[in-house]
Amino acid sequence: MEENELLDNQNEHEEEQDALTRVTGMYKDWFLDYASYVILERAVPAIEDGFKPVQRRIMHALKEMDDGRYNKVANVVGQTMQYHPHGDASIADAMVQIGQKDLLIDTQGNWGNILTGDGAAASRYIEARLSKFALEVVFSPKITDWQLSYDGRKKEPVHLPVKFPLLLAQGAEGIAVGLSTKVLPHNFNELIDASIRHLEGKRFKLYPDFPTAGIIDIGNYNDGERGGKVRVRARIAQHDKNTLVINEIPYGTNTSSLIDSILKANDKGKIKIKKIEDNTAAEVEILVHLPAGISPDKTIDALYAFTACESSISPLGCIIEDNKPVFMGVSEMLRRSTDHTVELLQAELEILLAELEEQWHAASLERIFIENRIYRDIEEQKTWEGVLKAIAKGLKPHTEHLKREVTEEDIVRLTEIRIKRISRFDLDKAQQNLDNLEERIAETKHHLGHLTEYAINYFRELKKNFGGGRERKSEIRVFDEIEATKVVIRNTKLYVNREEGFVGTSLRKDEYVTDCSDIDDIIVFTKSGQMMITRVDTKTFIGKNIIHVAVYKKKDKRTTYNMIYKDGRGGPSYVKRFNVTAFTRDKLYDLTTGKAQSEVLYFTANPNGEAEIVTINLRQSGSIKKLKWDLDFADVMIKGRNAKGNIVTKYAVKRIELKEKGLSTLKPRKIWFDETVQRLNVDGRGELLGQFTPEDRLLIVDQKGNVKTVIPELTMHFDPDMIVLEKWNPEKPLSAIYWEGEKELFYVKRFLIENPDKEENILTDHSGSYLEKLFTDYRPVAEVVFAKKRGQERKPNMEVSLEDFIAVKGITAMGNQLTRDKVLEINALSPLPHEEPEKKEARDIEVVDEQDVDGADAGEPGEGKTDKKNGKKDSDETQGSLF
């Protein structure tokens, strides 16, 4: 009995094991089957035609229904469901996506808006038909491979014979099981040009082009492979001093999501706006209204830093090839597509050649049959076999020139010729038809013999017929890096409890320091000579007796700290000047020698390296003769923060008094303009604009005739139609030649800018007025080329010294008429020599950026030397913010 129970238990255990094994097998097989199905049949496009299965079935259904007229999308969806094993919603969504790309489908009705994110109307309300481009490049039934549909009732294409890099033109995105793809869209004409270059054996480069336009940085595109990245920005311009306008948006966003991100950043205090207006219709127009006193330039940078106005897109080139997923770059995709197009063109030509030769053969037999009256030989034949033999016998003497043997099918076809056709047979027309066929056969053979040339011409025809209006929309540009801390709005207040040694945003009962943001760093100094840089927080302990706290500016080597400290109890006093650049956040640095009871006696932070004069007062002790004297910080060398400093006195200091505020010991700032990123910088990139003091300004003139001067800031943005950007010299007049719209003549004017803070337009109010030339030289010279009058010699060119032509007048003056003759063009010649007054030499301290270290101590910068007479510093170049 016990033995039987044991056997039963063992059998039950084995059955459980078998069940577990079956579940494991189900998981392995069924899940793999499901994953393969999703990858191959739903999410990832095929390299052969660039379509996912649902897209291919939609195109096939549209072709079946095509009669040149629009069809209800609901009807197209119903037709597609004969081939697609999924619901109507997925088909309708896929069709709307194809239609919105404006390439393969002509749409009618409300198909949604990719700019605003609005969806399409219901499929029963909107209509579609194949575009002429789709009919040209997508379909060719004679070279299409067919397969049975999922239920075996219909035939559908395995792949459509697409003769164009459609996948790269439309882009593709899909998420499968454990796999995804993201092929970005590219420009139609650039793809054709790249295909032609590939066929010519030349190199090519492909970059994305988005239907939402925008500005893109493709520096890290990596040919669309894994690991690449494309940065996309909205196009933002300054509408007026308190309004920004967004005209283009990044790919992957719409106006609704973009506005939501701006409002969210405003709620978090990252930016500050008054209101937003969305006027988007056929084109994007979002107006961002700013409160008074908010910098438009900084707000533009803040929009890029904190909102969806800038985003990164990571491409992933995954496609289906030979029924399996493959990763490849867009260049390889284009090469494969182009080579496949050549193969398709060859297949079409071979089929056409066979058809033409068959037509020539049939036409030749018909001519022989009728011209030689072979049809009379069958009059006496009583059987079908006799008829066929009689015709074959009659044809035999005349078939030597034919390209193949005469078959029974050929003879049967001859018997089907009607008497009416025989009676009206025209030998000349028949010969003309044969000649035409022979010409087409020769042409087709030539194309087959010069297949690459034929393919190139095919692509050129595509560009000629369909490339109009498909110019690049996204502007390619190198982006500048935006530091969030420099553009974030100061959305909170910083407080300090000096005695207890706390700083933070929650100490509202204590001393207010400054406005700050929650991503700022702050720098703090204590009476004991210690320093710390830490992130803004609600409450942070630094050390008792805080003497200085401020928002720390990264990459700032202009700020110089002047300090006098006592070295330990009863020790001598030292003076030092230093900058703070490299640091480790939350590390406590000792700026003294580290002796116990060291104490800071005097401390100042100087944003532009100011060096003041202080009076040292000593305590009366023993036989000290000199109890009071002045110390000029300009005589002290600027060293690293760990330097001990110079000795001030070995006696006890009673007090230190400020005698005279200091002047900056730093030279004017050199500023460059980098045309690549359209931004100012101080690290030597681009064109040097000059050396700027805090009072110097930039002169900016645009093509519309607007003239203004501004104090340069690294956050400034510049309009693309800017024609002049240089350091403004208030003494140097500007000279302009412009077309006056009302009088329809060219005028000359010379003027000085009298209101530096006001933007003014130098043209007249007439809508036809435009700026022809603007000169910023002291003594400019222009060449006027006259148009040739009919029947007369061309008038000699006229050289005009604008200085002699007109005196300097007000900026609103109309000026003098240049000439009444018709002008062909106006050119700028070399200006006349002019000696500028000598300028005082600037101090030779140069300050540019140095990489800061976040989270690791990079050590001290090299020591600099200060000339004791004039306070000059000989140091490595560093950089920072402007003045």
Side-chain angles (χ1 to χ4, degrees):
M1 190 71 180
E2 292 178 359
E3 186 177 347
N4 291 335
E5 288 181 0
L6 184 63
L7 288 172
D8 291 340
N9 292 334
Q10 185 176 351
N11 290 335
E12 288 177 6
H13 180 69
E14 288 177 356
E15 288 176 4
E16 289 178 3
Q17 289 288 75
D18 290 343
L20 288 174
T21 301
R22 283 198 297 273
V23 170
T24 305
M26 283 164 37
Y27 173 79
K28 287 181 178 178
D29 298 337
W30 293 5
F31 184 79
L32 185 60
D33 290 344
Y34 170 70
S36 300
Y37 171 75
V38 173
I39 292 170
L40 299 176
E41 296 296 328
R42 289 175 66 177
V44 184
I47 185 64
E48 288 82 1
D49 57 7
F51 287 123
K52 297 179 184 180
V54 65
Q55 297 170 331
R56 186 179 301 115
R57 289 160 182 157
I58 290 169
M59 297 301 295
H60 175 57
L62 278 167
K63 178 62 175 173
E64 281 191 319
M65 301 173 70
D66 182 54
D67 58 1
R69 295 180 295 176
Y70 287 99
N71 293 287
K72 289 284 187 182
V73 168
N75 292 338
V76 179
V77 171
Q79 180 77 9
T80 307
M81 287 185 71
Q82 298 180 79
Y83 310 101
H84 195 61
H86 296 285
D88 58 336
S90 63
I91 300 172
D93 291 344
M95 190 169 176
V96 167
Q97 289 182 19
I98 298 173
Q100 288 178 341
K101 290 170 182 173
D102 191 29
L103 188 61
L104 299 177
I105 298 178
D106 282 343
T107 60
Q108 188 165 273
N110 177 15
W111 280 68
N113 190 330
I114 60 172
L115 301 178
T116 63
D118 295 332
S123 56
R124 60 185 177 274
Y125 298 123
I126 56 179
E127 298 179 329
R129 67 182 178 189
L130 289 172
S131 67
K132 291 182 180 179
F133 173 76
L135 292 169
E136 174 73 26
V137 305
V138 175
F139 304 100
S140 185
K142 293 175 183 177
I143 59 172
T144 302
D145 294 328
W146 301 89
Q147 64 184 1
L148 289 175
S149 62
Y150 73 97
D151 60 1
R153 289 189 173 94
K154 295 275 187 175
K155 284 187 177 181
E156 64 173 328
V158 178
H159 297 111
L160 287 168
V162 177
K163 302 182 289 295
F164 178 78
L166 192 62
L167 174 60
L168 295 176
Q170 291 192 126
E173 187 172 355
I175 300 176
V177 179
L179 190 69
S180 65
T181 184
K182 194 176 186 73
V183 180
L184 302 183
H186 294 71
N187 181 262
F188 182 93
N189 291 322
E190 291 175 10
L191 288 172
I192 291 179
D193 292 340
S195 294
I196 293 173
R197 290 185 67 83
H198 169 60
L199 292 173
E200 292 174 343
K202 299 177 182 178
R203 294 182 179 180
F204 61 87
K205 282 284 186 182
L206 288 175
Y207 301 116
D209 185 25
F210 300 122
T212 55
I215 310 167
I216 63 173
D217 186 338
I218 44 77
N220 194 28
Y221 183 44
N222 194 31
D223 202 40
E225 295 191 72
R226 283 182 292 184
K229 185 177 290 186
V230 178
R231 295 170 63 191
V232 191
R233 282 182 179 175
R235 188 179 296 279
I236 310 175
Q238 186 174 340
H239 187 64
D240 55 47
K241 65 179 182 179
N242 290 322
T243 310
L244 302 177
V245 59
I246 301 174
N247 298 117
E248 298 172 8
I249 60 177
Y251 182 67
T253 65
N254 54 60
T255 55
S256 300
S257 62
L258 193 69
I259 290 172
D260 287 344
S261 73
I262 295 173
L263 294 174
K264 189 177 293 184
N266 181 67
D267 293 340
K268 290 182 177 180
K270 304 293 186 186
I271 60 175
K272 189 172 287 187
I273 63 171
K274 185 191 295 182
K275 66 174 181 176
I276 296 181
E277 289 182 56
D278 187 5
N279 300 328
T280 302
E283 296 181 354
V284 173
E285 184 181 80
I286 301 173
L287 297 179
V288 182
H289 298 275
L290 308 179
I294 297 297
S295 167
D297 288 318
K298 283 190 177 180
T299 304
I300 291 174
D301 282 347
L303 288 171
Y304 289 142
F306 303 117
T307 74
C309 289
E310 178 179 334
S311 61
S312 293
I313 302 172
S314 298
L316 181 59
C318 179
I319 46 87
I320 300 299
E321 184 180 41
D322 297 331
N323 215 34
K324 60 185 178 183
V326 177
F327 293 93
M328 67 174 63
V330 295
S331 298
E332 182 61 21
M333 289 183 195
L334 183 115
R335 283 190 283 267
R336 300 278 184 97
S337 174
T338 305
D339 293 341
H340 185 58
T341 298
V342 174
E343 293 171 3
L344 294 174
L345 291 172
Q346 181 180 3
E348 286 183 342
L349 287 172
E350 289 171 349
I351 290 174
L352 176 62
L353 179 61
E355 290 175 346
L356 289 172
E357 288 181 338
E358 187 63 26
Q359 291 175 30
W360 181 87
H361 182 78
S364 297
L365 280 178
E366 183 178 302
R367 177 184 173 181
I368 294 169
F369 182 73
I370 297 175
E371 184 180 0
N372 295 286
R373 301 175 184 267
I374 296 173
Y375 53 85
R376 289 185 175 181
D377 296 344
I378 65 176
E379 292 175 354
E380 298 179 357
Q381 301 297 325
K382 297 181 179 180
T383 64
W384 177 247
E385 290 77 9
V387 169
L388 296 180
K389 287 181 181 179
I391 294 175
K393 183 179 180 181
L395 291 174
K396 193 170 184 180
H398 309 286
T399 57
E400 293 179 357
H401 69 288
L402 297 182
K403 298 176 182 178
R404 67 172 177 84
E405 294 292 329
V406 178
T407 64
E408 185 175 328
E409 290 180 2
D410 295 331
I411 297 173
V412 170
R413 196 180 303 118
L414 291 174
T415 64
E416 296 171 353
I417 299 175
R418 296 182 178 182
I419 298 297
K420 186 177 182 181
R421 187 171 173 184
I422 293 174
S423 63
R424 293 185 177 182
F425 184 75
D426 189 325
L427 186 62
D428 292 336
K429 284 186 178 180
Q431 185 60 45
Q432 185 178 359
N433 181 42
L434 285 170
D435 292 343
N436 290 337
L437 287 170
E438 287 173 357
E439 286 179 10
R440 293 182 64 191
I441 289 170
E443 181 185 35
T444 305
K445 287 182 176 179
H446 179 271
H447 291 333
L448 283 168
H450 302 81
L451 197 57
T452 301
E453 181 182 344
Y454 176 74
I456 290 173
N457 290 331
Y458 169 80
F459 279 113
R460 285 175 177 160
E461 282 298 309
L462 282 184
K463 185 175 180 179
K464 176 183 175 182
N465 295 332
F466 305 106
R470 299 189 183 274
E471 293 75 20
R472 167 167 282 277
K473 292 185 176 181
S474 299
E475 179 188 353
I476 297 175
R477 188 191 295 175
V478 178
F479 289 175
D480 54 309
E481 294 296 332
I482 296 174
E483 290 187 33
T485 53
K486 288 187 177 180
V487 297
V488 67
I489 293 294
R490 301 295 171 85
N491 55 2
T492 187
K493 297 181 184 298
L494 182 66
Y495 302 90
V496 60
N497 185 323
R498 296 183 184 272
E499 185 177 350
E500 296 298 326
F502 289 96
V503 293
T505 58
S506 63
L507 309 175
R508 291 184 176 85
K509 295 181 181 179
D510 295 306
E511 178 187 341
Y512 165 75
V513 178
T514 183
D515 287 350
C516 65
S517 73
D518 51 11
I519 63 172
D520 277 335
D521 286 319
I522 54 173
I523 185 168
V524 188
F525 296 85
T526 67
K527 186 74 171 175
S528 61
Q530 293 182 316
M531 178 199 79
M532 180 187 288
I533 297 175
T534 185
R535 183 77 77 190
V536 167
D537 206 343
T538 53
K539 186 177 181 180
T540 304
F541 178 74
I542 305 296
K544 292 188 175 183
N545 298 316
I546 293 173
I547 58 174
H548 177 75
V549 57
V551 174
Y552 178 75
K553 298 177 182 178
K554 287 185 178 180
K555 302 180 182 179
D556 175 22
K557 207 178 178 184
R558 290 188 73 85
T559 300
T560 303
Y561 300 97
N562 300 340
M563 187 173 89
I564 301 174
Y565 70 94
K566 182 179 69 172
D567 186 26
R569 182 176 182 181
S573 300
Y574 290 88
V575 60
K576 61 190 291 186
R577 300 183 73 200
F578 60 93
N579 307 116
V580 177
T581 52
F583 65 92
T584 299
R585 189 178 283 116
D586 297 326
K587 179 180 177 180
L588 201 60
Y589 292 92
D590 200 330
L591 305 175
T592 69
T593 60
K595 292 182 181 179
Q597 298 185 23
S598 293
E599 181 184 358
V600 176
L601 304 177
Y602 180 86
F603 184 91
T604 58
N606 306 281
N608 286 298
E610 292 86 353
E612 66 270 33
I613 299 174
V614 296
T615 301
I616 309 295
N617 294 276
L618 302 184
R619 294 185 184 276
Q620 180 67 49
S621 176
S623 59
I624 302 176
K625 295 181 180 179
K626 191 173 183 181
L627 297 175
K628 182 179 179 180
W629 72 92
D630 294 339
L631 186 152
D632 189 348
F633 275 97
D635 296 335
V636 180
M637 290 187 295
I638 300 175
K639 299 184 178 182
R641 63 170 176 251
N642 285 342
K644 186 175 183 179
N646 300 339
I647 192 166
V648 177
T649 177
K650 63 182 179 179
Y651 301 108
V653 176
K654 182 178 180 181
R655 66 179 180 275
I656 300 175
E657 300 170 338
L658 175 65
K659 180 178 181 180
E660 183 180 322
K661 289 186 177 180
L663 300 175
S664 173
T665 58
L666 304 181
K667 70 175 290 184
R669 177 65 53 90
K670 283 185 178 180
I671 299 179
W672 288 262
F673 177 68
D674 187 345
E675 191 171 356
T676 304
V677 297
Q678 294 282 301
R679 298 297 286 266
L680 301 176
N681 68 88
V682 290
D683 55 359
R685 299 193 314 272
E687 177 188 357
L688 177 64
L689 298 178
Q691 299 188 45
F692 289 75
T693 67
E695 292 76 30
D696 288 332
R697 287 175 169 260
L698 279 172
L699 170 66
I700 302 175
V701 185
D702 65 25
Q703 191 63 56
K704 302 183 188 73
N706 297 314
V707 178
K708 64 180 178 180
T709 67
V710 294
I711 296 175
E713 294 182 6
L714 296 185
T715 56
M716 289 182 63
H717 290 257
F718 299 92
D719 292 330
D721 61 352
M722 176 180 66
I723 58 173
V724 173
L725 177 66
E726 64 179 45
K727 184 178 179 181
W728 178 51
N729 182 348
E731 308 295 328
K732 185 170 65 171
L734 302 181
S735 307
I737 299 177
Y738 70 97
W739 177 262
E740 208 294 309
E742 183 178 354
K743 299 185 180 297
E744 296 186 341
L745 292 170
F746 283 106
Y747 278 74
V748 180
K749 63 190 297 183
R750 278 167 63 81
F751 57 91
L752 291 169
I753 297 176
E754 299 172 354
N755 300 311
D757 296 318
K758 181 181 178 183
E759 180 176 321
E760 299 182 87
N761 193 287
I762 62 175
L763 306 179
T764 57
D765 294 334
H766 194 275
S767 60
S769 298
Y770 64 86
L771 181 62
E772 176 68 19
K773 292 285 182 183
L774 189 126
F775 305 85
T776 60
D777 304 301
Y778 277 96
R779 306 178 66 194
V781 178
E783 178 189 47
V784 180
V785 180
F786 296 101
K788 186 178 182 299
K789 294 181 180 179
R790 182 175 297 178
Q792 298 182 17
E793 292 291 328
R794 187 192 299 274
K795 189 175 179 179
N797 296 348
M798 177 176 67
E799 288 190 10
V800 182
S801 169
L802 302 186
E803 179 189 33
D804 299 332
F805 189 83
I806 186 173
V808 175
K809 300 180 180 180
I811 194 171
T812 58
M814 187 171 183
N816 292 353
Q817 179 183 304
L818 178 63
T819 178
R820 297 195 67 84
D821 293 319
K822 190 173 182 180
V823 174
L824 181 63
E825 61 181 2
I826 299 174
N827 302 314
L829 301 180
S830 299
L832 298 174
H834 173 78
E835 291 186 8
E836 294 189 44
E838 292 186 6
K839 298 179 180 179
K840 294 182 180 179
E841 291 186 3
R843 298 170 183 256
D844 61 358
I845 287 182
E846 192 83 40
V847 182
V848 293
D849 270 342
E850 171 184 287
Q851 292 294 329
D852 67 305
V853 177
D854 188 359
D857 195 347
E860 298 299 332
E863 292 186 3
K865 294 181 180 180
T866 303
D867 189 309
K868 293 189 178 182
K869 292 183 179 179
N870 56 22
K872 292 181 182 178
K873 175 185 171 186
D874 179 16
S875 67
D876 293 336
E877 292 188 347
T878 59
Q879 75 179 9
S881 61
L882 289 182
F883 314 102

